[in-house]
Amino acid sequence: MRRNVSVQVITRIAVLTALASILFLIEIPVVAFYKLDLSNLPVLLGAFSMGPVAGTVILALKSLIGMLHSTSMYVGELADFMMGAAMIVPAAVVYRVKKTRGRALTGMVIGTVLMAAVGVIVNKYIMIPFYMNAYGMPMEAVIGMASAALPFVDTEWELLLFVTAPFNLLKGIVLSALTFLLYKRLSPLLHVKGDKR
């Protein structure tokens, strides 16, 4: 029985990783250089159905596959993993304690807020410095990309607080809403038969 469960877990992880990797390629421009993708939707579904460890594995595999066509020398994939983990792990842990809709919503709210906070840190110390060095962009040029859409953005911290943080909050809200709508409908396909956890 345990071996059968393991095969089912591996199969579901593989399928969800494939879906996440495909969605990782589809980006919707939002503001400045920020683009929305839904690649963490399968990750969150997997984390809710199989636990935070499985969710982290799916997220890591998605990031590794993304490195095969990286345009940011793997920095973007690293940042995506860090921000994704900040949402996925807390949401799955909170839900796993007591599997109710209320706990799921609470977990996703906590995860969304944490992802927004980590997103500010990751952009401040990893993403923005990378793009400045890789493309020879001064900070003024980076800020200019945001101020073209939001004229009141004049400093790096305004960029982080009024563009980066709201963008990641939006991303978390979209992922949470889709997960909330789809999880129960897909539950029979996502859960591993014979797993008593």
Side-chain angles (χ1 to χ4, degrees):
M1 177 64 74
R2 185 173 293 277
R3 182 178 179 183
N4 185 45
V5 169
S6 297
V7 171
Q8 291 182 60
V9 169
I10 292 171
T11 300
R12 281 160 175 75
I13 286 175
V15 171
L16 290 170
T17 298
L19 289 172
S21 299
I22 292 169
L23 290 173
F24 205 18
L25 298 171
I26 304 171
E27 297 178 321
I28 304 167
V30 177
V31 61
F33 41 82
Y34 292 104
K35 298 176 182 178
L36 177 67
D37 71 79
L38 301 177
S39 62
N40 283 338
L41 175 59
V43 180
L44 194 52
L45 291 171
F48 274 179
S49 60
M50 294 179 285
V53 173
T56 304
V57 170
I58 297 168
L59 179 64
L61 290 173
K62 179 202 78 171
S63 297
L64 288 172
I65 293 171
M67 288 180 178
L68 297 176
H69 50 79
S70 177
T71 58
S72 61
M73 293 186 279
Y74 314 139
V75 175
E77 288 72 27
L78 172 63
D80 178 80
F81 176 82
M82 295 170 68
M83 290 184 285
M87 179 182 185
I88 303 301
V89 174
V93 168
V94 170
Y95 179 67
R96 200 154 183 82
V97 173
K98 187 177 181 182
K99 296 184 177 181
T100 65
R101 285 185 164 224
R103 295 288 293 191
L105 279 174
T106 299
M108 289 188 289
V109 168
I110 293 171
T112 296
V113 172
L114 287 174
M115 181 173 69
V118 170
V120 168
I121 296 169
V122 166
N123 275 267
K124 166 72 174 171
Y125 296 106
I126 299 176
M127 292 302 296
I128 292 176
F130 166 76
Y131 282 109
M132 288 174 64
N133 292 325
Y135 298 103
M137 296 174 64
M139 179 58 70
E140 291 75 14
V142 176
I143 294 170
M145 295 175 70
S147 62
L150 302 170
F152 62 86
V153 175
D154 291 322
T155 67
E156 182 183 12
W157 276 110
E158 287 178 346
L159 168 66
L160 294 168
L161 295 177
F162 297 122
V163 182
T164 304
F167 168 78
N168 283 299
L169 286 173
L170 171 65
K171 184 174 183 178
I173 290 169
V174 171
L175 289 171
S176 297
L178 290 173
T179 300
F180 192 78
L181 291 172
L182 295 174
Y183 183 65
K184 286 300 180 184
R185 291 177 173 83
L186 298 176
S187 186
L189 299 174
L190 294 169
H191 281 92
V192 176
K193 295 176 182 178
D195 187 359
K196 303 298 184 184
R197 291 177 299 171

